[in-house]
Every structure is written in C-alpha cells, then in structure tokens.
Amino acid sequence: EVQLVESGGVVVQPGGSLRLSCAASGFTFEDRTMHWVRQAPGRGLEWVSLITWDGDRIDYADSVKGRFTISRDNSKNSLYLQMNSLRTEDTALYYCAVAISGWYYFDYWGPGTLVTVSS
Amino acid sequence: QSVLTQPPSVSAAPGQKVTISCSGSSSNIGNNYVSWYQHLPGTAPKLLISDNDKRPSGIPDRFSGSKSGTSATLGITGLQTGDEADYYCGTWDSSLSAVLFGGGTKLTVL
C-alpha cells in the first residue's frame, strides 16, 4: 500500500524559513518523480514543484521560484521542500504526491501538512 | 486566474449525468495529456483520469474523460450524493515548464 506522510508544517513569521518532509513507503521511491502541491484556504490546488527520480530535472511554479528548493534522499525514501523568504500568501496545506501513471500526474497523495505564515 | 478554465460549479440530480469542461491552449492541453482529480473536503485528492481518458484501477466506469483540441471534459454518470466534491483538471504546460491545475469545479448533487 502506497503511503505518503508529510511533516514540518508550523506557524512561521513572514520572511522566515521552514523545511517540509515527506516519508514514502509502499512503492519503489527511487524510481518515481515526486511533487509538492498546495491548497491555500478557500482556494484551489496549486502545483509547487517536481523532482525526477534522479534529481536531474527540477521545476518550480513561478510563485515560489527562487525561494523554495525541492530535494530528495532516495536512501531514506524521503522528499523535502526547503521554504525560505516565506510570505503570507504561502499559507496553505502542503501535499506531497507521487507520479506513477506519468511524470506530471499525481497518483497518490499524502494527507498534507499545514503551513501558516503570520505575524 | 487559472490558465486552465473550468466552470466554478455544476449541479445535477442523483442518477443524472454531468460534464465538467476544462479549456486551455496549445502549450498545455493542446499538446499534453490531461488528468482529472476528485477532492472531497478533508481528504487527499484522488486521481480519476490519466492520459485524457484512462481510469486507474478502482475508479468506476461512471467516470470518463475525453479531449479535443485545447479542451478536455470529465463526464460522470449515475450521479450519487457521494460524488459531491471539487473536481480539477491538470496538465503540463510546455511553455511555462510547469504543471497546471484548473480553478476547480464544485459538483453539487441536488
């Protein structure tokens, strides 16, 4: 059974930093592209970033480019999102998702971790 | 405002059929596969359709997808109250090098 569990979401002040983690199990993590997707309160889904199985391809949404960094540790079956220069508009539930049907699909999702950026 | 355009809401009676449209451009839907997701409140989103029209294992055949040109459509037949959710289309945009979601469509089963 595929399982994805995000952690690291907290309340942080504007301008602050945070690192999210996603622990994966139930599939061959080192073979799969992984994504971060977020949903701000009352808003729709917004794709944040992707990283291919070997880290060779990384892409970001324009809204986070230059501030967020995605990474992975295949030896630990873990995905990360380093978030710097946080803004109030980054407040959202952050999901990690695995692409299995195709590299830009989200076949399985975690329950999400809540990031609140507020003073 | 999303690059992919969906109607904000649709509604239909139990047992009826509904369609949800997703309109884009040549840089996204026109040249890439489309997927659809169901998002029930308080739960993680679920993949309903991949590759425009393929249902993952476990997704009932009441759900269908199609694509024509720069638009895609999700169809749901035999509506049930449990289908009430937000539905999102998604695809890759080759110009932006980004995954796009539509703005989402809230389905109400009256």
Side-chain angles (χ1 to χ4, degrees):
Chain A
E1 179 194 4
V2 172
Q3 281 203 319
L4 298 166
V5 180
E6 304 91 342
S7 61
V10 292
V11 179
V12 61
Q13 292 192 336
S17 297
L18 200 56
R19 188 196 199 203
L20 304 184
S21 299
C22 173
S25 61
F27 63 99
T28 307
F29 180 79
E30 63 188 11
D31 287 348
R32 300 300 179 186
T33 293
M34 297 294 296
H35 297 264
W36 288 100
V37 177
R38 69 184 181 183
Q39 185 175 33
R43 306 290 295 273
L45 299 175
E46 179 188 17
W47 172 78
V48 173
S49 181
L50 72 84
I51 183 168
T52 51
W53 65 275
D54 56 359
D56 254 15
R57 176 165 194 156
I58 289 175
D59 288 296
Y60 297 98
D62 283 347
S63 57
V64 306
K65 206 170 290 184
R67 300 187 300 122
F68 290 11
T69 302
I70 192 172
S71 63
R72 65 190 296 159
D73 185 337
N74 288 341
S75 69
K76 296 181 178 179
N77 286 358
S78 292
L79 176 72
Y80 306 101
L81 186 68
Q82 177 67 40
M83 309 164 67
N84 298 330
S85 303
L86 282 162
R87 306 167 179 168
T88 54
E89 55 263 37
D90 294 319
T91 294
L93 186 62
Y94 284 74
Y95 298 99
C96 72
V98 58
I100 294 178
S101 302
W103 64 275
Y104 55 87
Y105 295 149
F106 313 99
D107 291 75
Y108 296 94
W109 304 59
T113 187
L114 182 62
V115 173
T116 303
V117 184
S118 173
S119 54
Chain B
Q1 190 164 348
S2 303
V3 174
L4 303 181
T5 302
Q6 296 181 233
S9 63
V10 295
S11 62
Q16 297 300 302
K17 173 183 178 178
V18 71
T19 60
I20 298 172
S21 61
C22 176
S23 178
S25 68
S26 60
S27 65
N28 42 69
I29 293 178
N31 284 284
N32 294 289
Y33 287 114
V34 176
S35 55
W36 289 91
Y37 302 88
Q38 178 191 60
H39 193 191
L40 295 157
T43 69
K46 178 193 295 185
L47 176 64
L48 291 178
I49 299 288
S50 62
D51 289 358
N52 304 329
D53 58 9
K54 293 181 174 50
R55 281 177 289 105
S57 173
I59 301 300
D61 59 6
R62 301 188 298 108
F63 295 90
S64 64
S66 64
K67 188 182 102 167
S68 178
T70 59
S71 293
T73 302
L74 173 70
I76 311 173
T77 60
L79 279 171
Q80 304 171 1
T81 55
D83 295 331
E84 286 201 334
D86 295 321
Y87 292 84
Y88 295 88
C89 59
T91 189
W92 178 254
D93 191 295
S94 306
S95 295
L96 298 174
S97 288
V99 180
L100 300 179
F101 285 107
T105 299
K106 183 176 183 59
L107 169 63
T108 301
V109 181
L110 303 168

